[in-house]
Amino acid sequence: MPAGLTFAPPASRDALIQRAYITLIGLPPTAEEQQRWRDDAEPSWFDVMIEALLASPHYGERWARHWLDVAGYA
């Protein structure tokens, strides 16, 4: 690593939740969704959340729109 540079600190749970929602479905989590994942005590909460987002119809809508734009469908 170059001199004077360090790694960023680990992201908070709230930041991880928001980043996953925006990246995968293009929408921020609702207050209820944010609270649900924040309060989940299971060690695999992140994996479960990602699976739920990938199964969401919003995931398909987001990426279908992206690929239609790439293909020039207008």
Side-chain angles (χ1 to χ4, degrees):
M1 177 170 285
L5 295 180
T6 60
F7 289 106
S12 69
R13 184 177 277 215
D14 283 332
L16 288 174
I17 295 166
Q18 292 177 4
R19 289 175 187 173
Y21 269 77
I22 296 294
T23 300
L24 292 176
I25 66 172
L27 300 168
T30 64
E32 294 81 19
E33 291 167 332
Q34 185 83 22
Q35 190 67 41
R36 173 187 173 210
W37 297 116
R38 182 185 306 131
D39 295 342
D40 194 333
E42 287 293 318
S44 62
W45 72 270
F46 189 75
D47 296 334
V48 173
M49 180 185 67
I50 295 299
E51 289 297 325
L53 290 172
L54 292 175
S56 166
H58 296 297
Y59 175 74
E61 292 166 1
R62 172 171 168 69
W63 291 106
R65 188 172 37 238
H66 168 76
W67 286 111
L68 287 172
D69 287 345
V70 169
Y73 186 86

